Amino acid sequence: KKKFLDKDALDRSKRLEKVHVVIGPKSCDLDSLISAFTYAYFLDKVSPPGVLCLPVLNIPRTEFSYFTETRFILEELNISESFHIFRDEINLHQLNDEGKLSITLVGSSALASEDKTLESAVVKVINPVEPRDGELEFLESSSSLVLKELLREAPELITEQLAHVLRGSILFKWMTMDSEVSEQQEEILSILEEQFPNLPPRDDIISVLQETQHGAQSISIEQTMLKDLKELSDGEIKVAISTVNMTFEVRTGFLIHSPLQNKT
């Protein structure tokens, strides 16, 4: 099967005029990562000679073990971890200083605070529009936006393997949200299923993804907090925020409180 990237390409970047990096947020969620891989694959096919297109995982390699859903889908693609390019393995600032860098952001509309000086290199943002206050509609995934662009610009590049992983990413996004699949999402899923009738049934994919998601519970609290780490920055002040999901029991009409629940 065709690989989305080759780590040896990093060495070739020194001899190229341009390097186009496709990168997602630090959360490294399945949707943004699949979008980055797919869009870099698309750019590699349509860009002129001399431009190297690379998807980059926006985490250090040492943290990759925390992202169980992401690792699962990459294993499904038969892509070895040795082929991944992580944020600590490519010097984007040096490439930018040399005038070689272009960046496409997926799943996020802004760079991390330590990369703010790279803003001038951003040429495209692929990020779903958040629903307005009071709207409960399904938030479109980055994978869906990338798929729409491929269908519009280069439908011949969509293989059954690519359709399988994009559909899985879209279904996983829907699965993690408390809403129905929108008509727009249903339409784009149907296009893939009609074009590739041998794709596994949706229920089978959802079941496997649910099992993989439950496997995330085996990682430690520290790993969970690092996996979900989000950063807010205002000038020199940085605030890190993590979320840990917990289940509370209700007995005889009273909620059993966590010791932390009364703290602010």
Side-chain angles (χ1 to χ4, degrees):
K1 295 181 180 179
K2 177 176 176 60
K3 298 180 178 68
F4 282 95
L5 60 97
D6 185 339
K7 200 174 174 221
D8 292 339
L10 282 175
D11 296 329
R12 299 199 303 272
S13 68
K14 297 177 182 178
R15 305 189 297 271
L16 294 169
E17 296 179 3
K18 289 290 182 180
V19 178
H20 194 143
V21 166
V22 185
I23 191 168
K26 286 186 173 182
S27 60
C28 201
D29 61 284
L30 187 62
D31 179 38
S32 61
L33 185 136
I34 294 302
S35 301
F37 273 30
T38 304
Y39 200 71
Y41 165 72
F42 163 68
L43 288 175
D44 180 64
K45 295 298 184 182
V46 301
S47 296
V51 178
L52 177 65
C53 303
L54 295 174
V56 175
L57 283 70
N58 201 5
I59 55 171
R61 181 176 289 274
T62 54
E63 295 181 10
F64 188 55
S65 60
Y66 310 160
F67 298 86
T68 53
E69 300 95 341
T70 301
R71 290 168 57 204
F72 163 77
I73 202 69
L74 295 179
E75 289 170 3
E76 283 287 291
L77 284 169
N78 292 328
I79 298 178
S80 168
E81 184 178 333
S82 63
F83 288 106
H84 306 337
I85 300 171
F86 293 85
R87 182 62 183 86
D88 57 339
E89 297 173 340
I90 181 170
N91 193 332
L92 299 184
H93 292 274
Q94 180 179 340
L95 289 171
N96 192 46
D97 291 342
E98 294 172 353
K100 293 183 176 181
L101 184 65
S102 296
I103 296 175
T104 290
L105 297 176
V106 291
S108 176
S109 58
L111 292 161
S113 59
E114 63 268 25
D115 290 332
K116 289 297 183 183
T117 57
L118 302 177
E119 286 183 346
S120 60
V122 176
V123 296
K124 188 178 181 70
V125 174
I126 302 174
N127 189 42
V129 177
E130 293 282 351
R132 291 183 297 233
D133 292 342
E135 291 184 350
L136 300 177
E137 64 185 28
F138 178 80
L139 179 61
E140 190 169 19
S141 65
S142 299
S143 298
S144 177
L145 295 175
V146 169
L147 175 55
K148 286 179 180 179
E149 184 159 347
L150 259 70
L151 288 170
R152 184 175 61 251
E153 302 293 338
E156 70 280 1
L157 295 180
I158 303 176
T159 62
E160 184 169 315
Q161 178 193 13
L162 192 56
H164 174 58
V165 71
L166 284 169
R167 189 182 65 147
S169 180
I170 294 170
L171 288 173
F172 187 77
K173 180 77 171 183
W174 161 77
M175 190 182 75
T176 56
M177 300 183 67
D178 187 19
S179 64
E180 297 292 332
V181 177
S182 67
E183 291 184 7
Q184 193 176 41
Q185 297 294 289
E186 179 63 40
E187 180 180 354
I188 202 167
L189 288 172
S190 297
I191 290 174
L192 292 181
E193 291 163 351
E194 290 173 7
Q195 186 171 350
F196 301 100
N198 291 327
L199 288 174
R202 289 190 196 182
D203 289 344
D204 290 356
I205 298 300
I206 291 173
S207 295
V208 173
L209 288 171
Q210 286 174 333
E211 291 175 6
T212 306
Q213 188 180 31
H214 293 156
Q217 297 174 359
S218 62
I219 66 177
S220 68
I221 291 179
E222 179 183 2
Q223 290 173 329
T224 302
M225 293 181 71
L226 286 172
K227 174 183 175 181
D228 191 59
L229 188 66
K230 297 179 178 62
E231 178 190 286
L232 297 177
S233 177
D234 181 13
E236 297 181 355
I237 300 175
K238 295 182 182 179
V239 178
I241 301 174
S242 287
T243 301
V244 178
N245 295 322
M246 302 178 67
T247 301
F248 292 94
E249 296 183 34
V250 178
R251 296 180 181 174
T252 62
F254 294 94
L255 182 67
I256 299 178
H257 293 272
S258 161
L260 299 177
Q261 189 168 5
N262 294 327
K263 295 184 179 181
T264 59

